[in-house]
Amino acid sequence: MLFRVDEASTTNLADQIAIQVRAGILRGELIPGERLPPARELGAALKVNMHTVLRAYAQLRDEGVLQMRQGRGAWISDTAGSEVLRLNELVTQLMGEARKLGLSAGDVTRLVERA
Amino acid sequence: MNDNRAKTIENVRTLLTGATLIVPAALVALSWSTWRASIPDRLAFHWDARGRPDGTFPTEPLFIFAIAATVLVFVIGLVVLLVPRIDPRTRRSSMYWLGAVAAFIAASWLIPAGLTHHAGSAGGAVLDGWFAAFLLPMIYGVIPWLLTPQVNPVDVHSPRSVILGATEVGAWSKTINTGLLYGVAATIAGLAAVIYVPLITAGELDAISVVGLVVMALAVLAVLSFAGLRVTVDWRGIRVRSLLTKVLIKRIPIDRVGNVEVADLHPGEWGGWGYRIASGRSAIILRTGPGMVVTTIEGTQFALTLPTPEIPTGLLRTLADV
């Protein structure tokens, strides 16, 4: 999976990493049971502090997206996919309701951005 | 003229490849004609851990099987060599296996027959270092493989580069698990257990058996080392590390990257499955399919099978500025 962090972004680096992991699960690039890179390795690869990566992993663990164990690293939890599937279902419902009202996908996007 | 010369060389190589496939059958036939008058009716065919014969097999049926099987392998080899529709890569890798199988079948006749003939009886046919000769067929397969006409150059293409902003840092990381290799490791471990647990419990583990056990343990470790890999592409270059041993299997620093392409990789083009090393080329080939080919500034090549090579290839092209 491709990770990219932007030091100039207003979103802090740990949040950027966490967002990309969630997006990776949504796109199917990360599957339940798949191991993420060790925090030290990902930190070195992205030129960020290891603890920044650990904060991202801890955030995802608290959400139930990751499981972590000392000495074994971090991996995508079995339930991570179900969270995304539920979100997909909600989006499908939202688009169904929007079409009934004659709204396009662009209209829905603008509504979401204003939310 | 050059085309004619190339065609002649290809024909000669095809002829020589066919010849290597008939050699095992020829050796079986030659040994039969030489030893027929004096060979006993039964051959030593199974040996205990100390190399003493503890099982026999009728001579004539074993010879008939050996000559029929080696001739059959030769006929199959001819078909594979001469049918034009067969993919050149498949043809080349098939020659290795056909050569190895023919040599193994021939060895299964030659070793028991030779030992029994030399000893004068099945009971006196001690195996000793001849055990190693059973491993030679795997090496024999290399001969027809080398002689088979070369495959076409690797078909590569350049993917789109991954664009990074001025303040962005990008890295790609993926764990690759190859189920087949885990299965191979489990099979070897299972075989080792079947062979050596009875020996250990019976207290019959001698020096040769210990060597065999160590060899099998190392084989399991070697296979597992490649069964799980972590591939990383970042500002430092490309690295491939074993998940089990944490050993860095391959590293190409970013400043040595000359070009990176996506390619359709076939084991036959890179010397087979697993970690392959040849003059100017190396590869980690875990299956037939898409992968990445990195060419260094010195002109050497490294290939790696990856499920979706486009993004890491594009990222490496961006980071290496190629």
Side-chain angles (χ1 to χ4, degrees):
Chain A
M1 178 175 146
L2 178 65
F3 293 88
R4 40 203 311 168
V5 292
D6 185 355
E7 287 186 352
S9 170
T10 53
T11 307
N12 72 56
L13 295 173
D15 286 344
Q16 288 182 50
I17 294 170
I19 288 166
Q20 287 176 62
V21 171
R22 290 190 210 99
I25 295 170
L26 184 67
R27 287 192 302 267
E29 286 180 37
L30 293 171
I31 56 174
E34 184 167 349
R35 267 202 213 165
L36 288 179
R40 188 186 302 273
E41 278 186 32
L42 186 56
L46 292 173
K47 297 185 184 177
V48 301
N49 192 291
M50 175 183 83
H51 295 287
T52 302
V53 179
L54 283 172
R55 272 203 304 279
Y57 284 3
Q59 198 184 117
L60 294 165
R61 179 202 56 206
D62 295 340
E63 292 169 8
V65 174
L66 284 193
Q67 285 184 307
M68 291 171 66
R69 200 163 294 171
Q70 186 77 19
R72 282 192 60 190
W75 62 97
I76 308 296
S77 75
D78 294 337
T79 55
S82 61
E83 299 276 334
V84 170
L85 279 175
R86 187 175 149 268
L87 191 61
N88 269 339
E89 282 167 15
L90 288 172
V91 168
T92 306
Q93 281 177 25
L94 173 65
M95 288 310 300
E97 292 297 320
R99 284 191 202 103
K100 282 183 200 169
L101 294 171
L103 297 176
S104 68
D107 295 329
V108 173
T109 303
R110 277 187 285 278
L111 284 171
V112 168
E113 284 169 354
R114 268 191 253 139
Chain B
M1 185 62 75
N2 279 340
D3 284 346
N4 283 339
R5 187 165 177 269
K7 192 67 187 166
T8 303
I9 291 172
E10 189 180 320
N11 290 340
V12 167
R13 290 179 71 158
T14 302
L15 196 66
L16 288 173
T17 307
T20 61
L21 292 181
I22 197 64
V23 162
L27 288 175
V28 171
L30 184 65
S31 63
W32 176 254
S33 70
T34 308
W35 298 333
R36 185 178 178 180
S38 53
I39 202 167
D41 289 338
R42 296 190 74 88
L43 303 176
F45 198 70
H46 191 271
W47 294 265
D48 61 20
R50 292 196 182 91
R52 296 169 306 194
D54 61 3
T56 62
F57 202 91
T59 303
E60 209 164 295
L62 183 62
F63 164 72
I64 291 170
F65 164 75
I67 194 70
T70 47
V71 168
L72 178 64
V73 168
F74 168 66
V75 170
I76 294 170
L78 275 188
V79 169
V80 172
L81 266 178
L82 298 176
V83 169
R85 287 177 62 182
I86 291 177
D87 178 68
R89 294 168 279 244
T90 304
R91 178 180 294 122
R92 197 156 191 247
S93 59
S94 299
M95 287 303 114
Y96 169 81
W97 290 109
L98 288 169
V101 166
F104 184 79
I105 296 169
S108 299
W109 155 259
L110 290 169
I111 292 172
L115 288 175
T116 305
H117 178 260
H118 180 72
S121 70
V126 177
L127 187 55
D128 280 340
W130 280 97
F131 174 72
F134 280 109
L135 300 177
L136 290 180
M138 301 309 291
I139 301 171
Y140 184 83
V142 172
I143 301 173
W145 178 80
L146 281 173
L147 287 171
T148 309
Q150 294 283 355
V151 297
N152 297 327
V154 178
D155 181 25
V156 297
H157 67 271
S158 303
R160 288 192 307 183
S161 292
V162 169
I163 298 171
L164 294 174
T167 53
E168 271 194 312
V169 177
W172 182 88
S173 182
K174 184 76 179 171
T175 301
I176 299 171
N177 284 300
T178 308
L180 177 64
L181 291 181
Y182 285 113
V184 168
T187 303
I188 298 172
L191 276 172
V194 165
I195 294 169
Y196 291 105
V197 165
L199 287 177
I200 293 168
T201 51
E204 290 182 355
L205 201 66
D206 58 9
I208 294 177
S209 302
V210 169
V211 169
L213 180 59
V214 168
V215 166
M216 291 184 91
L218 288 174
V220 169
L221 189 63
V223 172
L224 283 177
S225 294
F226 286 88
L229 298 174
R230 175 163 294 284
V231 182
T232 307
V233 172
D234 60 29
W235 58 276
R236 294 167 292 185
I238 177 170
R239 272 164 296 123
V240 182
R241 193 181 289 275
S242 167
L243 284 181
L244 172 71
T245 61
K246 312 294 183 206
V247 168
L248 193 61
I249 294 170
K250 185 70 180 182
R251 183 179 78 98
I252 301 177
I254 201 74
D255 57 1
R256 281 189 55 220
V257 175
N259 197 12
V260 197
E261 309 276 2
V262 169
D264 199 27
L265 300 178
H266 295 258
E269 291 170 352
W270 294 90
W273 301 85
Y275 190 24
R276 319 305 303 182
I277 302 176
S279 172
R281 302 172 106 209
S282 61
I284 298 175
I285 305 293
L286 302 174
R287 55 175 168 67
T288 298
M292 168 199 289
V293 177
V294 181
T295 304
T296 67
I297 53 177
E298 297 92 5
T300 60
Q301 281 190 318
F302 169 68
L304 171 66
T305 48
L306 288 170
T308 48
E310 288 76 15
I311 291 176
T313 305
L315 178 64
L316 192 56
R317 290 178 68 84
T318 297
L319 295 172
D321 196 22
V322 297

